[in-house]
Amino acid sequence: MRRSRTSSRTDEFMEFATGRAGHLHRSACLLTSGDTHLAEDLVQETLSRMYTLWGRMSRIDNPAAYAQTVLVRTFLTHRRRYSAAERPLADLPDAPVPWNTDDPALRLALLEALRELPPKDRAVVVLRYWEDRSVEETADAMNVSSAAVRTRSTRALAKLRERLGGSLAELITPA
């Protein structure tokens, strides 16, 4: 009886992980400014943390939103942990990000602009505008105040506007 309950939980988690992995990966790609390898690592770390909590998930109303919160916190922890130790030697070409867009110039411009934002500002932009979360949900996910989210959001959007300027309008092709 106990074995069937454990396998049932494992099956439920596998179904959840399979259904959410793509969405988590897309969010992680945005958080990492297109670094697909780091995005994969973040998703794996997120799913492993979710698996350890899966037996207690009945207390969590929305496991998908909780997984997004775990992803953002994992990203922020990773940035703090490795920010001083790891330095890229050169920008090497990487595989294209597998997003559904027909305009690679726009995608690259946005990723480059996101890459220039500090990690916490980038997380706010991704949560607020990619994940379409409220200020309060974003604050909860990042473990900061709502005022900090509003401040970071204003600052990040100003930096993006400054960085992209009029070039964004040139990259958007009318449908």
Side-chain angles (χ1 to χ4, degrees):
M1 174 125 162
R2 182 180 172 121
R3 182 176 173 106
S4 67
R5 194 174 347 155
T6 303
S7 69
S8 171
R9 278 191 209 145
T10 302
D11 292 342
E12 287 174 7
F13 176 76
M14 290 302 293
E15 183 178 330
F16 170 80
T18 302
R20 294 302 300 171
H23 186 76
L24 288 169
H25 188 260
R26 285 186 296 276
S27 294
C29 283
L30 288 171
L31 287 169
T32 61
S33 301
D35 184 345
T36 58
H37 301 292
L38 178 56
E40 289 170 4
D41 291 345
L42 292 174
V43 171
Q44 288 300 316
E45 178 70 23
T46 297
L47 290 176
S48 69
R49 290 181 184 187
M50 291 294 293
Y51 182 73
T52 60
L53 298 171
W54 196 254
R56 298 175 288 199
M57 290 304 283
S58 62
R59 291 184 252 164
I60 296 173
D61 293 333
N62 188 345
Y66 187 74
Q68 289 298 128
T69 298
V70 171
L71 175 69
V72 169
R73 290 182 179 171
T74 301
F75 165 73
L76 292 173
T77 300
H78 171 81
R79 297 304 300 177
R80 278 193 301 268
R81 188 180 312 145
Y82 296 108
S83 65
E86 293 183 3
R87 299 280 185 229
L89 297 176
D91 282 333
L92 299 175
D94 205 2
V97 179
W99 294 338
N100 295 329
T101 182
D102 294 333
D103 194 352
L106 174 61
R107 180 180 49 207
L108 291 174
L110 290 173
L111 282 175
E112 183 62 34
L114 278 173
R115 183 178 294 119
E116 293 178 5
L117 292 177
K120 287 184 179 181
D121 288 354
R122 192 178 325 145
V124 166
V125 169
V126 170
L127 288 171
R128 289 279 293 129
Y129 303 104
W130 172 259
E131 294 293 326
D132 198 28
R133 290 193 183 193
S134 69
V135 170
E136 291 76 22
E137 291 169 332
T138 302
D140 186 46
M142 293 182 63
N143 205 20
V144 298
S145 69
S146 296
V149 169
R150 285 190 290 274
T151 300
R152 286 192 177 279
S153 180
T154 301
R155 184 184 318 142
L157 289 176
K159 287 179 183 176
L160 287 174
R161 283 186 195 103
E162 177 183 314
R163 169 70 173 102
L164 296 171
S167 66
L168 188 59
E170 297 167 5
L171 294 172
I172 298 173
T173 55

